[in-house]
Amino acid sequence: MGAMSSRLLLLDTASLYFRAFYGVPDSIKAADGRPVNAVRGILDFLATLQARYEPAAVVACWDDDWRPAWRVELLDTYKTHRVADPEAGIEETPDLLAHQVPLIAEALTLAGATVVGAPEAEADDVIGTLVHRWETGIDVVTGDRDLFQLVDDARDVRVLYTARGVSKHDVVDAAWVREKYGIEPGQYVDFAVMRGDASDGLPGVPGIGDKTAATLLREFTDLDGIRAAAADPGSSLRPRIRQSLLDSADYIDAAVKVVTVRPDLDLEDPVTGVMDVEALRTFGEQWNVAGPVERLLESVTT
């Protein structure tokens, strides 16, 4: 086995299995006829990441609550468009994916990853908590831009951003965030609140898009500074932007809390998992994913 680094690999698991489900043909099926495309995709994703980064530990961060009530109470539009059953608050998950989710958890556990979730918390919050606990050297694998707020060059915290695919992921550090958005990672929450994010049901502040949000942050540092300028008739803010910020005060108060990932969940420290080679191979044969299993095994033994 190659020498392992001391890096921690944190998987935003739902982000990855949705990407796998939609990116791998559902014609790939187990012997019982059920699709296993998301299972296959996840195993291939892990093999790719394992081979490239050789992490000391892998944690599959889980959405025990994908839309926590406390976030919805703050902002009732939060993830509304993803709700399949409004009364039960159930996420809209394709039937052909739903049965694969438990198999994905089993496969990741057999592969040596630790599956970690927490009550009333999203995977983002699990990730945020673990990032604050680990000393240095962390890679967060996600397609969610909100996690750019965790990027920290001083502690070597990066985001492996999968918007273009896992094999073509971007390695997001502070320089990447500056180049892409013209802000620092520590300003990302304020940036996201102002420009909004339709994928999470964040309306944003009317009239403020990416460029205006970045310009305001460069001039006034953070939302506190921007709001103080909005309240000051003598500041340099344009009248339309000033009024929009003042009118959006309640939204801003709520959205900052919604977008900020929690750093303080009551989690047990994840135990470094051990790959169960024989059980993983048995799983691969049972569910017609033997090829990805072998690629994963090769990624940790070369």
Side-chain angles (χ1 to χ4, degrees), residues 119-286:
E120 300 181 2
E122 301 175 54
D124 287 10
D125 301 309
V126 174
I127 290 168
T129 297
L130 294 177
V131 162
H132 281 80
R133 286 189 184 178
W134 195 265
E135 286 190 10
T136 186
I138 304 165
D139 292 316
V140 177
V141 187
T142 185
D144 184 353
R145 295 176 297 180
D146 282 347
L147 290 172
F148 293 169
Q149 66 188 269
L150 299 174
V151 170
D152 183 348
D153 284 2
R155 297 182 57 238
D156 195 12
V157 179
R158 311 179 299 193
V159 168
L160 309 183
Y161 184 48
T162 60
R164 299 188 300 129
V166 172
S167 63
K168 298 178 180 179
H169 65 265
D170 292 297
V171 179
V172 177
D173 57 10
W176 191 99
V177 175
R178 288 187 210 108
E179 176 68 23
K180 180 73 172 177
Y181 299 112
I183 62 170
E184 297 296 322
Q187 296 173 307
Y188 193 84
V189 169
D190 292 351
F191 176 79
V193 166
M194 285 190 287
R195 67 97 187 271
D197 189 340
S199 68
D200 279 339
L202 296 175
V205 176
I208 297 182
D210 284 24
K211 290 183 178 179
T212 301
T215 298
L216 291 172
L217 286 166
R218 284 195 295 272
E219 183 172 358
F220 300 108
T221 305
D222 56 24
L223 259 172
D224 287 342
I226 293 167
R227 298 177 79 179
D232 176 7
S235 74
S236 60
L237 284 179
R238 300 196 304 272
R240 181 176 61 85
I241 296 299
R242 179 193 310 279
Q243 193 59 51
S244 190
L245 286 161
L246 293 173
D247 291 343
S248 301
D250 290 344
Y251 158 74
I252 293 171
D253 287 340
V256 167
K257 296 174 184 175
V258 168
V259 175
T260 302
V261 299
R262 291 185 58 183
D264 58 354
L265 294 179
D266 184 17
L267 300 177
E268 293 184 8
D269 289 333
V271 177
T272 302
V274 177
M275 180 177 286
D276 189 333
V277 175
E278 292 309 313
L280 189 58
R281 281 189 165 129
T282 299
F283 178 94
E285 293 295 334
Q286 179 181 359

Side-chain angles (χ1 to χ4, degrees), residues 65-81 83 86 88-90 120 122 200-202 254-255 257-259:
D65 190 342
W66 72 282
R67 188 173 179 254
W70 64 270
R71 280 195 167 104
V72 178
E73 287 171 6
L74 287 165
L75 192 67
D76 60 9
T77 59
Y78 184 62
K79 295 186 178 179
T80 302
H81 64 294
V83 179
I90 298 173
E120 300 181 2
E122 301 175 54
D200 279 339
L202 296 175
K257 296 174 184 175
V258 168
V259 175

Side-chain angles (χ1 to χ4, degrees), residues 92-129:
E92 186 174 6
T93 304
D95 291 341
L96 297 181
L97 171 59
H99 84 88
Q100 299 186 62
V101 174
L103 296 177
I104 289 167
E106 181 181 354
L108 289 171
T109 301
L110 292 175
T114 305
V115 176
V116 178
E120 300 181 2
E122 301 175 54
D124 287 10
D125 301 309
V126 174
I127 290 168
T129 297

